[in-house]
Amino acid sequence: MDLGIRGRTAIVCASSQGLGRACAQALAEAGVVLVINGRHRSQLDQTAAEIRASTGAEVTAVVADVATPEGQAALLAACPAPDILINNNGGPPLRNFRELNRQALLDGVTNNMVTPIELIQKVIDSMTARGFGRIVNITSSSVKMPLVGLDLSSGARAGLTAFISGVARSVADKNVTINNMLPGSFDTARLRSNLSAAAKRTHVTEADAVARSMANIPAKRFGTPAEFGQTCAFLCSVHAGFITAQNILLDGGAYPAAF
Ligand SMILES: NC(=O)c1ccc[n+]([C@@H]2O[C@H](COP(=O)([O-])OP(=O)(O)OC[C@H]3O[C@@H](n4cnc5c(N)ncnc54)[C@H](OP(=O)(O)O)[C@@H]3O)[C@@H](O)[C@H]2O)c1
């Protein structure tokens, strides 16, 4: 399917690995001109080179911490008025909520709520002026269903979800959409490190922790980053202009509800 976004520009935050990278790859396949981002130069440059080689896309690599004002300025200097913004960032570490001090709580809210809102503030008016914009926030299935040790992630991302719900309606008539993608378990470095920590905590092998985790998913497997990326690219396509303020759950059926 032609997504109709060839030549459009995108900032894909936190995209040197994992789900962000998969979104960048899928957008590059659709002909989008990319800014990708991560904090570590070597991984980011390698990813940029691999995306260029596999798609021929124009890719600018911006080494920056997306949660800082300087990092956001660097991203916008590389692409001042993107047509597409993919908001992504690292998630908080697994913690018992009793162990989170005030600074840890504020950091979680900054990373997973304040940062995406700040970026939306900076790009949205140029999108409405051009009559095209696609914003996708990578949140988590934990917004809908609590996950042990990820309460800060759930809370901060639910705050973002509620915040943009009204914002999305205010720009819908300008062909600017804002949607959230809620990953369940996707096979990335983050998932593997969470499972490795869970294995240690519960005194089982990593292979057992993986098997148990897959057994709890009706699809009996983890999602692939490519599946996630292609869904993101569709939400950014011309065909998805009537989809806005939605929470797209990708979890292999793990959320146990009819609606
Ligand atoms: N994978 C899953 O199953 C799953 C499920 C639910 C929610 N999520 C959420 O989805 C998001 C992506 O997860 P993932 O599994 O793709 O993680 P990942 O494999 O660990 O990749 C994270 C990416 O973000 C970059 N990054 C992290 N912090 C950054 C920062 N402050 N500024 C710029 N770049 C940053 C990392 O590069 P550098 O380290 O070089 O900066 C890396 O490229 C996270 O918020 C995670 O909590 C994932």
Side-chain angles (χ1 to χ4, degrees):
M1 184 195 293
D2 180 354
L3 297 185
I5 48 176
R6 183 162 298 282
R8 293 280 183 191
T9 56
I11 295 177
V12 187
C13 303
S15 48
S16 61
Q17 287 197 82
L19 302 180
R21 176 187 172 140
C23 296
Q25 174 75 34
L27 289 170
E29 287 166 9
V32 172
V33 177
L34 290 181
V35 170
I36 66 167
N37 156 249
R39 291 163 302 175
H40 299 93
R41 162 76 62 196
S42 59
Q43 178 62 54
L44 185 66
D45 283 347
Q46 188 185 327
T47 297
E50 287 171 5
I51 294 176
R52 280 186 208 109
S54 62
T55 64
E58 193 181 320
V59 183
T60 303
V62 175
V63 178
D65 181 338
V66 69
T68 63
E70 303 75 35
Q72 293 180 15
L75 285 167
L76 287 156
C79 183
D83 298 305
I84 296 167
L85 169 67
I86 311 301
N87 270 318
N88 186 33
N89 199 352
L94 274 172
R95 278 288 136 72
N96 183 308
F97 81 94
R98 294 172 187 77
E99 295 165 12
L100 297 167
N101 62 23
R102 174 169 284 215
Q103 193 54 51
L105 289 166
L106 291 175
D107 287 347
V109 171
T110 300
N111 289 335
N112 296 125
M113 178 180 174
V114 174
T115 296
I117 292 170
E118 286 176 334
L119 283 167
I120 291 170
Q121 288 173 327
K122 288 168 183 151
V123 303
I124 202 157
D125 289 339
S126 67
M127 290 179 174
T128 57
R130 282 194 308 282
F132 181 91
R134 298 285 184 265
I135 298 173
V136 173
N137 303 310
I138 300 180
T139 65
S140 173
S141 62
S142 73
V143 171
K144 287 175 80 83
M145 186 171 65
L147 292 175
V148 176
L150 287 175
D151 311 287
L152 181 52
S153 168
S154 314
R157 296 178 205 268
L160 171 65
T161 305
F163 193 108
I164 64 100
S165 174
V167 175
R169 268 93 184 181
S170 75
V171 294
D173 65 334
K174 301 291 188 303
N175 191 24
V176 175
T177 67
I178 312 181
N179 291 291
N180 306 306
M181 291 180 67
L182 284 56
S185 295
F186 277 82
D187 204 348
T188 65
R190 175 170 169 90
L191 180 73
R192 292 282 167 178
S193 94
N194 283 350
L195 286 171
S196 162
K200 280 194 192 105
R201 219 178 34 248
T202 54
H203 309 291
V204 300
T205 65
E206 239 172 275
D208 281 343
V210 167
R212 270 190 211 173
S213 179
M214 284 184 180
N216 288 330
I217 302 169
K220 303 298 173 204
R221 66 175 179 89
F222 297 145
T224 68
E227 290 172 318
F228 191 91
Q230 294 298 337
T231 307
C232 176
F234 179 76
L235 286 174
C236 296
S237 74
V238 292
H239 313 298
F242 209 49
I243 304 175
T244 197
Q246 297 304 300
N247 292 289
I248 314 291
L249 182 63
L250 298 91
D251 71 348
Y255 179 65
F259 298 100

